[in-house]
Amino acid sequence: MANNRYHVAVVGATGAVGEQMIKTLIERDFPISKLTLLSSARSAGKTVQFKGETITVHEAKPESFEGVDIALFSAGGSVSKQLAPEAVKRGAIVVDNTSAFRMDPDVPLVVPEVNEEDLQKHQGIIANPNCSTIQMVVALEPIRQKFGLNRVIVSTYQAVSGAGNQAVQELYSQTKDVLDNKEAQAKILPVKNDKKHYQIAFNAIPQIDVFQDNGFTFEEMKMINETKKIMHMPELKVAATCVRIPVASGHSESVYFEVETDHVSTLEIRNLLSTAPGIVLEDNPSEQIYPLATNAVGQRDVFVGRIRKDLDEKNGFHMWVVSDNLLKGAAWNSVQIAESLIRLGLLNK
Amino acid sequence: MANNRYHVAVVGATGAVGEQMIKTLIERDFPISKLTLLSSARSAGKTVQFKGETITVHEAKPESFEGVDIALFSAGGSVSKQLAPEAVKRGAIVVDNTSAFRMDPDVPLVVPEVNEEDLQKHQGIIANPNCSTIQMVVALEPIRQKFGLNRVIVSTYQAVSGAGNQAVQELYSQTKDVLDNKEAQAKILPVKNDKKHYQIAFNAIPQIDVFQDNGFTFEEMKMINETKKIMHMPELKVAATCVRIPVASGHSESVYFEVETDHVSTLEIRNLLSTAPGIVLEDNPSEQIYPLATNAVGQRDVFVGRIRKDLDEKNGFHMWVVSDNLLKGAAWNSVQIAESLIRLGLLNK
């Protein structure tokens, strides 16, 4: 089986995440026999270079998935809802990077460092969690395993690429306009299809995705609900405030958490995370070493630093967690799930 | 006394805050008989327009304060430590915007909406709190008064102008370089005199001011200690993570707090803050109404929105607090203290 090669499809191949999926498949030398690139009708016809080959992007249709072994979806929730079942029907396993199936009890929601074993229960579709959730649970899981966890409060500093390539173009063009003393035009952020749009250049927008009736945004509810599901802790207290800032790529998070074990020290948490999977510890205040979005871009790891004990709450700690939202937050976690499926013998030919 | 006019000195007149102090004195039509503008030797000789008059900035020296009634200091902690006592010795009342005297038990630390009465105890020097502290306590004080308060966890999204005009220039020149695909040069942020400097353009830097032995930065400790002092609550649990983001002016804050009273609703907190002094409530999720840094710039108010109840902690709430860090966070709060001193009859001729 180690020598098997697979027919891989990328749905949303021309998007911000799709581009990174293709790049990650190359970097990981993923065992591909055939690569099918799919998109909306609008982007069909574009070509993509893959290992010296020119591949034309085709419009995603049910029949596109004939013969596909594994399909990585990142073309929006409505595309996934329509086409992921069609892909499964044709024998493909789907790794879906949208929110379409994440909270479906029959769909595993997987971050391999945290709950790879949930892949065993898959019924064709595996959901890739939200970008801001993934990097946080990678950092929290080793702590939960060793010291227990009963509370998380996170405030995010999220990059614009999470809203797609058009949003990044908007950030850059607005930024240029502000520098040129022109009025910035806002047409996409915070949420493309919402009523109002606000300038992201030199600003901080406390809205990512649409508002829910409880006053939280859907992005915040994703962080709350997905964290509980991935960590198998429905009782975990989680609260989130999700904020978009003028960064192109690289999400940062200010995470407060409380452990169950008494007398845990900052040093113990540092030591634990320094050898934990998927994590790079960057935590030396006296040398001004801490994670930065600009350093995380292009890296597959989750960077953790600024770990310190709360001054009042005996089991409370703070940390700063940074990762490339397009890689570990999306493309890399999806490819990593595909690698896990192969390793666990779940992607049979 | 209402007709009295005062000899006012601004120390640090050419800095980011000093410029806003002069502008605020004009806007408030502060009763000035004479305006003395002071600075370091480096900036002396510059001229400033004030109500049609051209005023030359002079080097600040002990004798500069002869005849001055009230001196607004914002030229760095070492200047304040050296010259504020000299000003007091010569009969001036000092409102100091540096951290030099804030935690001195003999020096009132004042946000007029919160603890104006502390001005009564002044012994010549009154400290103006840190920018990020001021806007938070303005938002928290009405809540504390009505419902009690026992815990605060804040993550900040702080603007670059808090680090001075040079830092803003650095933000703009780095931003231009990144847009032009050039390497960004970092020489000032995060802390001018610290060892390392990092790019702020399209980044988030989790360091404001220098690190303390406990792993918190001095900025974070200012928020923690000053909040307790201003609110007269040494037992209040406060934790802060202070982060610089690529915004020129306007600090934003994600604030989690727990009240003492049970069964408080989001609506009650909204209603309370809608009529509280110094606050503008901007909180209507269904219309995407929430505070934004870009809207707060040039405004003296503190803007509060995104108020919502925590989903797990029965007395926990979240909110988003935004204000112009150079105005309510610095210049306006200082001038407001001067106005309070006059109104309370504490600035006698």
Side-chain angles (χ1 to χ4, degrees):
Chain A
M1 193 192 71
N3 293 322
N4 277 344
R5 301 191 82 79
Y6 304 90
H7 181 175
V8 176
V10 174
V11 187
T14 60
V17 173
E19 287 170 2
Q20 296 298 323
M21 282 174 167
I22 296 165
K23 216 174 132 201
T24 304
L25 290 168
I26 296 171
E27 285 175 6
R28 298 293 297 176
D29 198 16
F30 194 88
I32 295 178
S33 56
K34 183 179 176 185
L35 181 63
T36 293
L37 301 183
L38 303 169
S39 72
S40 63
R42 189 168 40 81
S43 297
K46 289 187 184 175
T47 59
V48 169
Q49 294 301 312
F50 182 77
K51 295 188 173 181
E53 210 185 322
T54 301
I55 302 181
T56 302
V57 179
H58 293 283
E59 185 184 350
K61 295 175 181 174
E63 52 275 24
S64 311
F65 298 95
E66 297 289 352
V68 168
D69 297 307
I70 182 154
L72 310 178
F73 273 70
S74 192
S78 58
V79 173
S80 292
K81 273 181 194 152
Q82 192 202 331
L83 292 178
E86 298 289 344
V88 171
K89 207 184 288 175
R90 287 164 178 82
I93 294 185
V94 168
V95 181
D96 181 34
N97 188 43
T98 77
S99 62
F101 303 102
R102 285 182 191 149
M103 297 313 295
D104 185 328
D106 294 332
V107 172
L109 181 67
V110 176
V111 178
E113 291 87 346
V114 181
N115 62 333
E116 190 183 48
E117 70 283 1
D118 286 353
L119 290 173
Q120 304 281 358
K121 306 175 298 186
H122 87 82
Q123 297 173 34
I125 300 176
I126 294 138
N128 191 77
N130 188 47
C131 46
S132 48
T133 311
I134 294 175
Q135 64 185 68
M136 183 171 78
V137 296
V138 167
L140 288 174
E141 175 63 11
I143 297 164
R144 184 200 68 78
Q145 280 183 23
K146 183 144 187 190
F147 302 119
L149 186 68
N150 55 41
R151 176 153 213 202
V152 180
I153 300 174
V154 57
S155 294
T156 71
Y157 301 68
Q158 290 182 237
V160 171
S161 61
N165 282 331
Q166 281 186 309
V168 176
Q169 287 313 311
E170 179 168 272
L171 165 65
Y172 287 141
S173 68
Q174 284 180 357
T175 302
K176 196 169 175 311
D177 284 345
V178 172
L179 291 180
D180 293 344
N181 286 310
K182 292 186 205 159
E183 207 180 326
Q185 300 292 319
K187 292 175 182 172
I188 296 171
L189 291 170
V191 181
K192 197 174 175 185
N193 297 322
D194 215 339
K195 281 175 279 185
K196 291 176 188 166
H197 298 100
Y198 300 117
Q199 176 186 323
I200 183 62
F202 304 107
N203 204 9
I205 305 181
Q207 182 192 357
I208 300 182
D209 218 322
V210 294
F211 279 99
Q212 310 296 288
D213 288 343
N214 62 6
F216 287 77
T217 61
F218 188 47
E219 182 83 357
E220 289 160 356
M221 292 312 300
K222 286 182 225 166
M223 287 197 82
I224 292 167
N225 292 325
E226 293 179 15
T227 297
K228 297 179 190 196
K229 177 168 176 175
I230 298 164
M231 300 185 98
H232 297 199
M233 294 185 79
E235 75 293 358
L236 181 67
K237 294 180 186 179
V238 188
T241 300
C242 291
V243 181
R244 192 78 75 186
I245 63 167
V247 167
S249 275
H251 283 357
S252 303
E253 297 177 349
S254 167
V255 183
Y256 169 77
F257 60 94
E258 289 171 14
V259 299
E260 287 185 337
T261 310
D262 289 345
H263 311 301
V264 176
S265 72
T266 298
L267 188 62
E268 283 175 282
I269 297 199
R270 276 192 196 139
N271 287 341
L272 178 66
L273 295 189
S274 69
T275 58
I279 291 176
V280 173
L281 185 76
E282 294 188 320
D283 195 9
N284 186 345
S286 66
E287 295 296 321
Q288 292 176 269
I289 302 292
Y290 37 70
L292 290 172
T294 44
N295 293 341
V297 172
Q299 308 292 318
R300 286 190 292 269
D301 300 294
V302 172
F303 299 86
V304 184
R306 298 240 37 220
I307 302 166
R308 61 207 192 277
K309 198 153 197 168
D310 192 78
L311 301 175
D312 300 298
E313 199 66 32
K314 71 184 168 86
N315 293 340
F317 290 87
H318 304 265
M319 65 180 171
W320 181 248
V321 180
V322 178
S323 194
D324 187 328
N325 53 300
L326 296 180
L327 293 180
K328 185 58 181 166
W332 163 230
N333 197 69
S334 289
V335 172
Q336 197 182 6
I337 288 171
E339 292 184 358
S340 293
L341 288 167
I342 295 173
R343 190 163 23 79
L344 296 172
L346 295 168
L347 194 64
N348 290 322
K349 293 292 291 185
Chain B
M1 194 192 71
N3 293 321
N4 277 344
R5 302 191 81 80
Y6 304 91
H7 180 175
V8 176
V10 174
V11 187
T14 61
V17 173
E19 288 170 0
Q20 295 299 323
M21 282 174 167
I22 296 164
K23 214 174 133 203
T24 304
L25 290 168
I26 296 171
E27 284 175 7
R28 298 293 297 177
D29 199 17
F30 194 87
I32 295 178
S33 56
K34 184 179 176 185
L35 181 64
T36 293
L37 300 182
L38 303 169
S39 72
S40 64
R42 188 166 42 82
S43 297
K46 289 187 184 176
T47 58
V48 169
Q49 294 301 311
F50 182 78
K51 295 188 174 182
E53 211 184 322
T54 301
I55 302 181
T56 302
V57 179
H58 293 282
E59 185 184 351
K61 294 175 181 174
E63 51 274 26
S64 311
F65 299 94
E66 296 289 352
V68 168
D69 297 307
I70 183 154
L72 309 178
F73 274 71
S74 192
S78 58
V79 172
S80 291
K81 273 182 193 151
Q82 192 202 331
L83 292 178
E86 298 290 343
V88 172
K89 207 183 289 175
R90 286 166 178 81
I93 293 185
V94 168
V95 180
D96 180 36
N97 188 43
T98 77
S99 62
F101 302 103
R102 286 181 190 149
M103 297 313 296
D104 185 328
D106 294 334
V107 172
L109 181 67
V110 176
V111 177
E113 290 88 345
V114 181
N115 63 333
E116 189 183 49
E117 70 283 3
D118 286 353
L119 291 172
Q120 304 282 358
K121 306 176 298 188
H122 88 82
Q123 296 173 32
I125 299 175
I126 294 138
N128 191 78
N130 189 47
C131 46
S132 48
T133 311
I134 294 175
Q135 66 185 67
M136 183 171 78
V137 297
V138 167
L140 288 174
E141 175 63 12
I143 296 164
R144 183 200 68 78
Q145 280 183 22
K146 184 144 186 190
F147 303 119
L149 186 69
N150 56 41
R151 175 153 215 204
V152 179
I153 300 174
V154 57
S155 294
T156 71
Y157 301 68
Q158 291 183 235
V160 170
S161 61
N165 282 332
Q166 281 187 308
V168 176
Q169 288 312 311
E170 180 168 271
L171 165 65
Y172 287 141
S173 67
Q174 284 180 356
T175 302
K176 196 169 174 312
D177 285 344
V178 172
L179 291 180
D180 293 345
N181 287 311
K182 293 187 204 159
E183 207 181 326
Q185 301 293 319
K187 292 176 181 171
I188 295 172
L189 290 171
V191 182
K192 198 174 174 184
N193 297 321
D194 214 338
K195 281 176 278 186
K196 292 175 187 166
H197 298 101
Y198 300 118
Q199 176 186 322
I200 183 63
F202 304 107
N203 204 8
I205 305 181
Q207 182 192 357
I208 300 181
D209 218 322
V210 294
F211 279 99
Q212 311 294 291
D213 289 342
N214 62 5
F216 286 77
T217 61
F218 189 47
E219 183 83 355
E220 289 159 356
M221 293 312 299
K222 285 182 225 167
M223 286 197 84
I224 293 167
N225 293 325
E226 294 179 16
T227 298
K228 297 180 190 196
K229 176 167 175 176
I230 297 164
M231 300 185 98
H232 296 201
M233 295 185 78
E235 75 293 357
L236 182 67
K237 293 181 184 179
V238 189
T241 299
C242 291
V243 181
R244 191 78 74 186
I245 63 167
V247 167
S249 276
H251 283 357
S252 302
E253 297 177 348
S254 167
V255 183
Y256 169 77
F257 61 93
E258 290 171 13
V259 299
E260 288 186 335
T261 311
D262 289 345
H263 311 301
V264 176
S265 71
T266 298
L267 188 62
E268 283 175 282
I269 296 198
R270 277 193 195 138
N271 286 342
L272 178 66
L273 296 188
S274 69
T275 58
I279 292 176
V280 173
L281 184 76
E282 294 188 321
D283 195 9
N284 186 345
S286 66
E287 294 296 321
Q288 292 177 268
I289 302 293
Y290 37 69
L292 291 171
T294 45
N295 292 341
V297 171
Q299 307 293 317
R300 288 189 293 267
D301 300 293
V302 173
F303 299 86
V304 184
R306 298 238 40 217
I307 302 166
R308 60 207 192 277
K309 197 153 196 166
D310 192 80
L311 301 175
D312 300 299
E313 199 67 31
K314 68 184 169 88
N315 294 340
F317 290 87
H318 304 265
M319 65 179 171
W320 181 249
V321 181
V322 178
S323 194
D324 186 327
N325 54 300
L326 297 179
L327 292 180
K328 185 56 182 167
W332 163 230
N333 198 69
S334 290
V335 172
Q336 197 182 6
I337 288 171
E339 292 184 359
S340 292
L341 288 168
I342 294 173
R343 190 164 22 79
L344 297 171
L346 295 167
L347 194 65
N348 290 322
K349 292 294 288 186

